[in-house]
């Protein structure tokens, strides 16, 4: 399912980022590095007839680093998910 595939991919991404962060901390560089990710590509929330998803609007970003003052979500969250 879409949900299962997404969870698997998030687990892979999480493990990769964690390994990178652990290495930066080991080298004493974590406070000197900022990691950014962005994409203007997205997928629909509902599966299509082939159990996949179609192209959609989107814009997702994340920033992390030792000196990043995080814990905030910026922007407006949609009131509803209707295409």
């Amino acid at each position: 399912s879409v949900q299962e595939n997404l969870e698997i991919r998030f687990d892979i991404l999480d493990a990769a980022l964690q390994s990178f962060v652990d290495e930066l901390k080991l080298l004493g560089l974590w406070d000197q590095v900022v990691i950014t990710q962005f994409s203007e590509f997205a997928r629909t929330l509902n599966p299509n007839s082939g159990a996949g998803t179609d192209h959609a609007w989107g814009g997702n970003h994340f920033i992390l680093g030792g000196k990043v003052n995080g814990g905030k979500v910026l922007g407006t969250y949609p009131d509803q998910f209707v295409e």
Side-chain angles (χ1 to χ4, degrees), residues 14-26:
D14 184 56
L17 284 171
Q18 188 62 60
S19 294
F20 187 58
V21 169
D22 290 346
E23 187 66 20
L24 288 171
K25 288 178 178 179
L26 184 68

Side-chain angles (χ1 to χ4, degrees), residues 43-65:
R43 293 285 184 171
T44 56
L45 297 173
N46 296 320
N48 59 25
S49 62
T53 56
D54 296 314
H55 292 211
W57 59 271
N60 56 75
H61 312 272
F62 67 77
I63 302 171
L64 59 139

